[in-house]
Amino acid sequence: MRRKLYMLCGINSERKLIVDLLAILFGIGSWLGINSVYVQLPLLVGSAPEGWNLPSYLVVIIQLGNIGPILYTAALRIKSFRDSYLIITLLVLGSCAAMATAFVYDQTVHVFGAERSVPLFITVFGLSLVGCTSSVLFMPYMGRFKGIYLITYLIGEGFSGFMPSIVALIQGVGGNGECVLVNGTDPAKPPQYESYTPPPRFGTRPYFIVSSVILAISMVAFVLLDRLTVCRREYAAVSIGNGNNYAYEPSKPTDEECRSQSEKTSSPTEGTLNRTNYLLLMVLISIMCLFGNGFFPSIQSYSCLPYGNVAYHLTVTLSSMANPAACFLAFFVQRNSIRSIVALSVVFVPFAAYALTTAITSPDPPLMHHVLGDILVVACWILLVGLVSYIRLAITTLLRCEGGQTLVWVGVASQLGSLVGSILSFTLVNFTDTFEQYYPC
């Protein structure tokens, strides 16, 4: 029965469901902490002293988490160690940082003559260490498994945005801001108005407590994935060296996708991609991460908030759901090609242009105060994030066949692109007049 169901869905019937489940739960822990912060931004920007500029600060702080991959790479050159211990440590750190965020997110410190959300910045940095290091540690770790489980892990990584979005949808955002008359009884004084936003169903503190619990579950799932015998039996034919330095054994091409790609090359032992295509894919994934992880998250508030808090809330939550949806689609796509990846990258351009246009034209973007405008901006961001997620996954699955160190370089390229995008957006948002905030009153 199970075999027939798998054949109907186009899924390999030889896979172990327990490994799939644990890989998904493990993948959820990779970026769940950071995604939880992003999804909560519609509420955080309303109370933080940084206001609409808060996303640009957080994006830069998240990129500072790249100190994790740097230290990891340096450590590999000094001595050998088990990656599993480091992964467990990171997931425990993420769970503790999320719990701390629940209690300090609204605390401020007077720095350089102004109030700043320093405690929030510190806890977000802890969460960023988990996310950034996962690019060069978690994903390459999954490379030692059969190729079918790498996609499963990436689905879990996509769910790291989906699960916070579900919690945020239940939480709600309260509604759009309204101008409320606060002083209209004295005829000698002009009437005064202030912005009022209805409260959500529950606050930010319970939200981050839930995130902390999910990260703890992810840590337990990884321990089982690393230790259970049934999971170890699902390793590919690889020779594992120090850290994530491993190579697939050419004498045992058990991975169908890698084997089919190898047959297309003149020398299977030299890899499945020539140098030009290899560099092209590395550049493309860097560009996708530059916009998807670094630049656009910083300007999302300027693109969406002029349309109202509800539009911003739906954009953040539904676009986070687009990530796992794209990964789930890739689950059923048995072949990826460089031509299709380039074509999707071209399709990405008009959506990116529209999102940028709405941000630059703030506080008066196109179709403001129209339902069509709300629909377009939400749909644009959903498709934008979905395309970035699918392109990144397609590139990763192609490059996986090059060996474990290639997945490490995929992580490095991703984080470098994200770093450049965050620096660019932080400079434009905080030191130029390119983006302007909308005030309802």
Side-chain angles (χ1 to χ4, degrees):
M1 179 66 182
R2 188 182 70 172
R3 183 181 296 271
K4 291 181 179 180
L5 180 62
Y6 283 175
M7 291 178 62
L8 180 63
C9 298
I11 302 175
N12 189 340
S13 61
E14 299 302 321
R15 66 192 314 134
K16 301 295 183 183
L17 289 181
I18 182 64
V19 181
D20 282 315
L21 176 62
L22 293 176
I24 288 175
L25 291 175
F26 172 43
I28 287 173
S30 58
W31 288 96
L32 183 132
I34 294 304
N35 286 324
S36 297
V37 175
Y38 278 135
V39 172
Q40 199 65 8
L41 278 177
L43 295 179
L44 293 177
V45 296
S47 58
E50 293 80 8
W52 286 25
N53 291 347
L54 180 64
S56 66
Y57 281 90
L58 294 181
V59 167
V60 172
I61 291 170
I62 290 169
Q63 295 310 313
L64 293 178
N66 284 305
I67 188 67
I70 294 173
L71 292 176
Y72 168 74
T73 304
L76 285 179
R77 298 181 178 276
I78 298 175
K79 61 176 296 186
S80 61
F81 56 88
R82 289 191 63 178
D83 289 339
S84 58
Y85 296 148
L86 181 56
I87 293 174
I88 293 172
T89 301
L90 285 172
L91 290 173
V92 171
L93 171 64
S95 181
C96 294
M99 183 64 71
T101 304
F103 295 93
V104 304
Y105 72 92
D106 57 351
Q107 303 297 314
T108 61
V109 176
H110 196 74
V111 179
F112 300 120
E115 294 294 322
R116 299 294 181 190
S117 304
V118 175
L120 176 63
F121 294 162
I122 294 174
T123 59
V124 169
F125 175 73
L127 295 171
S128 71
L129 284 175
V130 181
C132 294
T133 310
S134 72
S135 296
V136 298
L137 186 60
F138 291 19
M139 183 172 63
Y141 174 88
M142 288 303 301
R144 66 190 64 189
F145 287 86
K146 296 176 182 177
I148 52 178
Y149 298 112
L150 177 62
I151 295 180
T152 304
Y153 164 82
L154 291 173
I155 291 175
E157 191 175 277
F159 271 106
S160 67
F162 180 82
M163 296 189 69
S165 298
I166 290 294
V167 178
L169 283 176
I170 297 173
Q171 178 189 31
V173 74
N176 292 325
E178 302 173 354
C179 289
V180 178
L181 181 65
V182 295
N183 182 19
T185 59
D186 190 349
K189 296 181 179 180
Q192 296 180 358
Y193 296 87
E194 67 177 18
S195 178
Y196 168 75
T197 301
R201 294 185 181 91
F202 57 87
T204 299
R205 180 167 299 171
Y207 174 87
F208 279 108
I209 291 176
V210 172
S211 297
S212 176
V213 172
I214 296 174
L215 280 164
I217 294 173
S218 179
M219 184 271 295
V220 174
F222 171 75
V223 173
L224 296 176
L225 183 67
D226 186 61
R227 302 297 172 85
L228 291 180
T229 302
V230 66
C231 298
R232 291 176 176 268
R233 290 173 181 167
E234 294 304 298
Y235 281 7
V238 296
S239 299
I240 303 174
N242 183 23
N244 284 316
N245 186 8
Y246 54 84
Y248 295 95
E249 298 177 7
S251 59
K252 297 180 180 180
T254 56
D255 191 309
E256 180 181 351
E257 182 180 353
C258 292
R259 183 171 66 249
S260 64
Q261 288 182 221
S262 297
E263 292 171 352
K264 297 177 183 179
T265 62
S266 59
S267 179
T269 59
E270 296 178 357
T272 61
L273 296 172
N274 60 45
R275 184 176 180 83
T276 301
N277 290 334
Y278 184 92
L279 293 177
L280 172 64
L281 293 178
M282 285 293 183
V283 170
L284 278 179
I285 199 168
S286 294
I287 294 174
M288 289 298 109
C289 289
L290 185 152
F291 288 106
N293 295 344
F295 187 79
F296 281 120
S298 297
I299 66 170
Q300 192 175 50
S301 56
Y302 292 92
S303 172
C304 302
L305 269 175
Y307 295 95
N309 290 335
V310 174
Y312 186 25
H313 179 251
L314 289 175
T315 297
V316 171
T317 53
L318 296 181
S319 61
S320 294
M321 293 180 181
N323 189 320
C327 295
F328 188 75
L329 174 63
F331 189 87
F332 297 97
V333 178
Q334 300 299 318
R335 295 287 185 273
N336 286 304
S337 66
I338 296 177
R339 181 176 298 178
S340 64
I341 291 173
V342 172
L344 289 174
S345 301
V346 174
V347 174
F348 163 83
V349 174
F351 296 104
Y354 185 79
L356 182 61
T357 300
T358 56
I360 292 177
T361 54
S362 176
D364 188 23
L367 298 175
M368 186 178 175
H369 302 306
H370 290 80
V371 175
L372 179 60
D374 299 355
I375 295 174
L376 285 177
V377 74
V378 173
C380 174
W381 279 96
I382 293 173
L383 293 172
L384 188 69
V385 174
L387 283 170
V388 170
S389 301
Y390 187 88
I391 292 170
R392 286 180 57 198
L393 186 146
I395 293 175
T396 301
T397 53
L398 276 182
L399 290 175
R400 170 193 171 273
C401 300
E402 301 299 306
Q405 281 296 298
T406 294
L407 289 182
V408 173
W409 285 114
V410 168
V412 171
S414 301
Q415 294 307 319
L416 282 177
S418 301
L419 177 62
V420 173
S422 65
I423 294 175
L424 175 62
S425 61
F426 182 82
T427 303
L428 291 175
V429 169
N430 294 280
F431 299 105
T432 70
D433 296 328
T434 305
F435 305 101
E436 297 183 20
Q437 184 171 344
Y438 167 75
Y439 296 96
C441 298

